[in-house]
Amino acid sequence: MKRKKYEKELARLHVELVKLQQWVLHKGLKVCVVFEGRDGAGKGGTIKRIIEHLNPRGARVVALLKPSDRERTQWYFQRYVQHLPSGGEIVLFDRSWYNRAMVEPTMGFCTDEENKRFLKDVPMLESMLIKTGIILFKFFFSVSKEEQLRRFNARETDPLKQYKISPVDREAQERWDDYTVRKFQMLNETNRTISQWTIFRSDNK
């Protein structure tokens, strides 16, 4: 797609997003959007573009830090449930409860038993959320190993992106195959008719 045509289409879609938000507010709908994928897959950049022209009073981003000592003693989903949308709201999760499906087991932040329990529980949780009126979208961004490495290298030299660098980044490259196993396990176990995944190939933003 040529740049001029791309920008024209992008502007049209931004208008549609604004109209969508007005509709959500008018109808009192509750919209929850989950963004998942490997580090450097483009989740954060996509979220920034989605909310660029939306009213911040009705659209918010949830990007949680690692759990506190207190949160570690809670029901796993508790820290996420409190951020779910109220009527008229769109909430975008930059990573979500699905941390327990990929990042945590790959990096050793949870046990295999906790991971297995999560994969069994999360379809039931999402079913309950949807049946209580939450409109749930689950987006998975799929990036290649080569493109992920290129983006990691760019972060190290760009002062505006250095805040994104973490020790986990290089680990993500070294544990690529482990992440892949967890990825397909997660998608197979949690892609249900009522809460399906939409997968984006995100090498080309």
Side-chain angles (χ1 to χ4, degrees):
M1 186 183 290
K2 291 185 178 180
R3 187 74 189 180
K4 189 173 182 180
K5 185 178 180 182
Y6 166 78
E7 290 177 349
K8 183 179 180 180
E9 177 65 5
L10 189 62
R12 185 188 72 80
L13 292 172
H14 271 302
V15 171
E16 290 301 314
L17 275 172
V18 171
K19 288 160 65 177
L20 169 67
Q21 185 182 29
Q22 291 172 343
W23 179 253
V24 167
L25 180 61
H26 175 68
K27 289 292 185 178
L29 304 177
K30 296 174 284 187
V31 179
C32 178
V33 190
V34 167
F35 291 80
E36 287 295 336
R38 300 176 195 260
D39 293 321
K43 302 180 296 297
T46 301
I47 290 170
K48 284 181 181 178
R49 283 152 185 80
I50 288 174
I51 66 171
E52 185 176 359
H53 299 289
L54 298 184
N55 185 337
R57 291 187 179 88
R60 55 188 171 88
V61 178
V62 177
L64 301 183
L65 298 171
K66 65 180 182 180
S68 65
D69 290 340
R70 180 172 181 271
E71 287 172 330
R72 288 191 188 96
T73 69
Q74 296 174 346
W75 175 49
Y76 175 72
F77 296 102
Q78 192 167 333
R79 67 195 297 254
Y80 297 102
V81 167
Q82 62 184 317
H83 295 287
L84 291 171
S86 301
E89 269 193 320
I90 300 172
V91 174
L92 303 97
F93 279 88
D94 186 352
R95 289 200 182 280
S96 67
W97 45 88
Y98 280 100
N99 273 339
R100 181 136 293 182
M102 282 184 63
V103 176
E104 290 188 13
T106 301
M107 300 303 297
F109 298 152
C110 74
T111 66
D112 284 341
E113 182 58 35
E114 287 172 329
N115 170 248
K116 290 175 183 176
R117 172 52 54 193
F118 169 83
L119 292 173
K120 288 182 179 180
D121 288 350
V122 72
M124 292 186 288
L125 173 77
E126 291 174 356
S127 177
M128 285 191 291
L129 297 180
I130 292 166
K131 288 175 181 178
T132 57
I134 289 178
I135 301 169
L136 177 65
F137 295 95
K138 300 193 301 188
F139 298 150
F140 188 89
F141 286 67
S142 182
V143 66
S144 68
K145 187 175 184 180
E146 295 73 22
E147 179 61 17
Q148 185 191 57
L149 179 60
R150 190 193 69 78
R151 291 177 187 176
F152 285 169
N153 290 337
R155 288 177 180 181
E156 291 179 349
T157 56
D158 187 341
L160 297 179
K161 294 181 179 179
Q162 286 181 354
Y163 76 93
K164 294 183 176 182
I165 298 173
S166 74
V168 176
D169 284 354
R170 293 303 176 188
E171 290 267 3
Q173 279 277 300
E174 293 172 8
R175 304 191 187 200
W176 181 270
D177 292 340
D178 292 336
Y179 267 99
T180 300
V181 171
R182 298 291 184 179
K183 165 188 170 181
F184 285 112
Q185 183 182 38
M186 178 190 78
L187 295 175
N188 286 333
E189 295 287 339
T190 64
N191 187 45
R192 303 298 175 90
T193 302
I194 197 171
S195 58
Q196 296 181 341
W197 283 100
T198 299
I199 301 174
F200 297 99
R201 297 184 183 279
S202 61
D203 276 11
N204 186 338
K205 291 186 179 181

